Amino acid sequence: MSIKGKAAAVRFDGVSKHYGPVVAVDRISFEVQAGDLVTLLGPSGCGKTTTLRLIAGLEMPTAGSVFIGGDDVSRLPASARDVSMVFQSYALFPHMTVFENVSYGLSVSGVAKAETRDRAEEGLKLVGLSGYGERLPSELSGGQQQRVAVARALVLEPTVLLFDEPLSNLDAKLRRRVREEIRGLQQSLGLTTVYVTHDQEEALAVSDRIIVMRNAEIAQEGVPNELYEAPRDLFVADFIGDANVIDAELVQRDGDYATVRVGGRVDLRLPHRDLPAGPVKIAVRPEAIGLEASEEGAGLTGTVTQSTYVGNHVEYTLDTGLGEIFVADYQYDALIPAGSRVQIAFRDRGVTLLESQT
Amino acid sequence: MNRPAALWLAVGWGGFALLPWYGVEDGFWSFAWLFDYPAGADAAPALLQILLFGRWWLAPMVLALAAPLVVLWRQRSDPLFSTVLLAAGSFGTVCFLVQGFAIGLGGWEYATLEAFFGPLADRQFGMGYGALLVSASFLFLFAQGIAARGAINGDGFVIGSIALVMALVAAFIFFPVVRILASAFQDNDYNFVPYLFVEKLFSRDIWGVGCLTANVNCGVAWNSLLMAIVVGVSTTVLGLAFALLATRTGFRAKRLLRLLSVLPIITPPFVIGLAIILLFGASGTVTQAIEAITGTTPGRYIYGLPGIWLAQTLAFTPIAFLVLIGVVEGVSPSMEEASQTLRASNWRTFTTVSLPLMRPGLANAFLVGFIESLADFGNPLVLGGNFDVLSTSIFFAIVGAQNDQGRAAVLAIILLAFTLTAFWAQHRWLGHKSYATVTGKGDAGLHVALPRRVTWLVYGSALPWAGLTAVIYFMIMFGGFVELWGRDHSLTLRHYIDAFSITTGAGGLVWSGAAWNSFWTTIYISLISAPLTAAVGLLTAYLLIRQKFAGQEAFEFGTMLSFAIPGTVIGVGYILAFNVPPIELTGTGIILVICFIFRNMPVGVRAGIAAMTQIDKSLDEASLTLGASSFATVRKVVLPLLRPAVIAALVFSFVRAMTAISAVIFLVSANYDMATSYIIGRVENGDYGLSIAYSSVLIVVMVVVILLIQLVVGQRRIGRRDEAVNVAFGAGGAVG
Ligand SMILES: Nc1ncnc2c1ncn2[C@@H]1O[C@H](COP(=O)(O)OP(=O)(O)OP(=O)(O)O)[C@@H](O)[C@H]1O
Ligand SMILES: [Mg+2]
């Protein structure tokens, strides 16, 4: 007896969810490939949980259709969908033992007693909690409770597994470990997983793909490094890591690249992203800016208004002709004091054109 | 095949083709009807009623039961499936209701129908189990149709439950009230006579103010209002005193105060009145003492407003206490401390901060006392003398020599208008605050000590009153052991023997005591109605808290409404509504059970709401995503976690069924006499010894049963949430 994944793809087709006048999810479409882990990432209230609940069947879409494994499940209630969910609060049944919790889904769906027991044991073993079966959830640590919740969801061999901020109740150290465990399980079982978080680092670390949401809509979707390296707009650039947004001018395109002039002086070669010649905006990661303390030079210059030592790097705020710029220097030799004039240089990575100008 | 739909369809056919359609004589469970089955006119199922007895008006329902057969094997998502179920369910229900109301004991009920269809040779009686199953089948088929449309997540169980609760509330709360309204416009022969209504509504004995100028009685409406206001004020003041005593003073015996708050729950209100007669009645202890000291005979001074006021204040102060203790504790200490840091004295802090903060709570306590007083029936009956109030006048209009249903209806409407106004005011003032649960957020700080004057006032009013209460309960517990109170104080067991003797006769034990009959009926009816009440109440709470659907607010209002309907009004309504077909229940035990379910259901609702708001909704959702249906979720997750609320609801509905009098007195019959109405009857005969003995036995039995229920339903596995029980007890202030 072992637990297998029965992965199925999930597809949203123009799905909306309204609560009276509130639009929680607004005509979104996306697809999750079978066996992938996709994260829904976004600020509070952007509709992540609602999207997840639409997949689970805890909400019915106001418009549009939800497909799981190719079937339209839009009108199916949660209990009729082959989907399991791990709740933010874990939602372990406090009046049942760990074992009863894990075997609950099997016993209510009429699986034979012996098989139920075997599979529940298997599930507990999978999350490293064999021997904890007789305890009550209240007798477990937060991390253990979380794993019970995962085991409870896994033993049903769901076609889709859902996580709503599963780590938010854990402390920082544990969070890192548990997220690696979840990712390990997901990959070894080949589960289709949708994972909600508002922590961008967590999202980058565990996902095959990330869907960034904003105001009930999808802001951008892609693999982690694509989102980090080439955010489409200011919102995404700013939400995933920090970014300075600087006005520039697209001078000319050749091949995949374009020459972009910053501050009227410095030319950069960046992927053009189909933008026409003319004024553009670029996003520059704080760590993609190099500084050199010197009065004048051919490049861009600025004045340090604030410099802060934070351990493994130094943070500067600069006043430049392009506006205020934030810099994180991981390769510093000596602290540049506030008031100094500096030369600004852009590194190759961490600078990108923004597709959308807003 | 769609299983739920098939199940309900089978139920429908079973009711239509197998069970007797009409109510059978001697009751269904006597099975005497089997002799007459299936071809007898009384016991025949509907199908044979049509074929053999020409009751053609039952025939259209065949259509509604046949149509769903066609779509039973279709997919649930098939639009035809839901359309057919919706059509069949609604058509069936309409046919069912129309024939039920159009044809009664005398053939056509309405002259226009008779003129149109010609006179009917036949007539029909009240509906029976066959009709019950068929109507349930229509209701749930309809619900399945809605579910198939995808409403409320396509959950058949939830939609069915909503439909069920709505249908029950409509049948057993709204229908009786509507019948009252209707009969207010009718004379005793059911003719529509509107001017009679106007005449009765404005009659002198309701609104007269003669007592102000001459030595005659004022109208009953004024009497009732006056009594309710006085009682509301006095219970609020005393309740506040007790609440302050319990929370803001160094008073030692606080546990005793808790006991005090449980007493009224297990005491039938009129028993207090009874004890008062023993103390202040013509041959009461106090009266005799006054006689001995002054040498004059005070007479019947206690009968009338003073006696009612005393009895009701004693009976309802604990309820005000329960309401106000939460209010007093709820005043945030930091507000009071803030006031003190602004250099206000204790006195000024109390009068300018604490009291105003309590004002909504005080208003609430007043309204509760006001409603309770208006609705109280037992005390005015026992102690009223010539002082007539609405609740007793209603009773005498129905049972007395007058037998004037129209007048009873008019009085009931006035009483209902008073209590509903108060209920409405209470809701407006307090909104849904009464449901708010205590948050985990601790409010630091200590309450400011009471100013000295207030402390003395509190002690001065609360302690004597507590003493009086103690004396009253002493009278209740031991009055039954005295030969003849006031005349012959020798100790005796005579009253207990009269009531509860058991002798050995020819056939073994014989329950020869006079009280056994009503005693066992009471226990039996209460035990049947308690779990049903709890079930309906908790189900309603579940629908209100855990589900969202259109019309939820109206649904909530409807279910809580019976809280504000005085028992006498319900009693009259039930008599008017269920004395004639289509639902003929008077004289049965069923009508008592139904009456208890719908009068006490709000208690279960409140207990359920209080407990359920404390249970994380994601537990339900986790269960759903794990593949459990919502019915299984309720059974395996919600109910076990609700155990405290279940206990509270069971205890409450049991106890309230045992102590109820106001509605019950209209509904008892020779076969089904209840303890309270039996006692009242004895009181009216002046048989105080047996009455008080019986009352004390009732109280003891209730305590025992409460403990038993706690034992049986068991302890919680997750030792927390005792609050639910307390919350429920706190919310228990309902209309007597
Ligand atoms: N039951 C509801 N009734 C009304 N509005 C709701 C309901 N549930 C969610 N909303 C609204 O829908 C929007 C999206 O909510 P959702 O829970 O999906 O946000 P979220 O992205 O999960 O946020 P968070 O990160 O804070 O959990 C919010 O504005 C919220 O107020
Ligand atoms: Mg959320």
Side-chain angles (χ1 to χ4, degrees), chain A residues 53 60 79 83 89 94-95 104, chain B residues 153 618 621 623 625 628 636 718:
Chain A
R53 293 166 60 84
M60 297 285 150
S79 51
V83 173
S89 58
H95 59 301
Y104 181 83
Chain B
N153 291 3
S618 61
E621 293 177 339
S623 170
T625 60
K636 298 198 161 181
I718 33 159

Side-chain angles (χ1 to χ4, degrees), chain B residues 496-706:
Chain B
Y496 286 89
I497 292 170
D498 280 354
F500 295 105
S501 64
I502 302 171
T503 52
T504 44
L509 288 184
V510 176
W511 305 88
S512 53
W516 283 120
N517 181 22
S518 59
F519 179 79
W520 288 124
T521 307
T522 304
I523 297 275
Y524 167 75
I525 298 275
S526 304
L527 282 180
I528 291 179
S529 55
L532 292 173
T533 312
V536 176
L538 294 176
L539 181 66
T540 306
Y542 169 78
L543 297 174
L544 285 173
I545 293 292
R546 284 301 208 253
Q547 305 292 339
K548 280 214 188 68
F549 49 93
Q552 198 163 15
E553 295 207 345
F555 181 81
E556 178 176 3
F557 184 75
T559 54
M560 298 310 274
L561 190 64
S562 73
F563 235 12
I565 305 180
T568 30
V569 176
I570 279 287
V572 172
Y574 272 38
I575 288 221
L576 295 176
F578 303 127
N579 206 13
V580 288
I583 310 180
E584 214 179 333
L585 292 172
T586 43
T588 64
I590 297 176
I591 197 170
L592 288 167
V593 172
I594 290 177
C595 170
F596 288 138
I597 294 177
F598 293 97
R599 298 230 347 103
N600 299 336
M601 164 180 156
V603 174
V605 176
R606 288 207 177 176
I609 285 178
M612 239 176 284
T613 42
Q614 295 181 355
I615 300 173
D616 191 352
K617 191 174 179 202
S618 61
L619 290 177
D620 302 28
E621 293 177 339
S623 170
L624 291 176
T625 60
L626 290 168
S629 65
S630 47
F631 179 64
T633 302
V634 166
R635 203 161 56 85
K636 298 198 161 181
V637 176
V638 179
L639 261 188
L641 291 174
L642 277 185
R643 201 167 277 178
V646 172
I647 297 179
L650 278 178
V651 165
F652 249 100
S653 24
F654 175 79
V655 162
R656 286 174 54 91
M658 295 263 299
T659 56
I661 177 69
S662 49
V664 166
I665 203 157
F666 292 88
L667 305 176
V668 291
S669 49
N671 283 338
Y672 294 95
D673 197 8
M674 297 284 283
T676 46
S677 68
Y678 178 82
I679 296 176
I680 285 272
R682 287 305 184 111
V683 172
E684 290 191 317
N685 289 340
D687 194 352
Y688 297 130
L690 190 142
S691 309
I692 206 96
Y694 198 170
S695 304
S696 63
V697 168
L698 275 189
I699 292 176
V700 171
V701 166
M702 273 183 273
V703 171
V704 170
V705 173
I706 290 173

Side-chain angles (χ1 to χ4, degrees), chain A residues 44-45 47-50 88 164-165 196 198:
Chain A
S44 186
K48 307 181 294 287
T49 300
T50 308
Q88 182 169 5
D164 191 1
E165 310 206 16
V196 164
H198 57 235

Side-chain angles (χ1 to χ4, degrees), chain A residues 210-212 218-222 226-227 230-233 236 273:
Chain A
I210 297 176
I211 296 172
V212 182
I218 293 180
Q220 190 175 357
E221 186 191 338
E226 184 182 330
L227 286 177
R232 261 189 47 193
D233 56 17
V236 177
R273 308 188 83 176

Side-chain angles (χ1 to χ4, degrees), chain A residues 126-127 150 154 181-191:
Chain A
L126 210 54
V127 297
V150 173
L154 280 181
E181 284 174 7
I182 291 178
R183 177 62 162 162
L185 266 178
Q186 181 265 330
Q187 283 181 323
S188 65
L189 300 177
L191 290 164

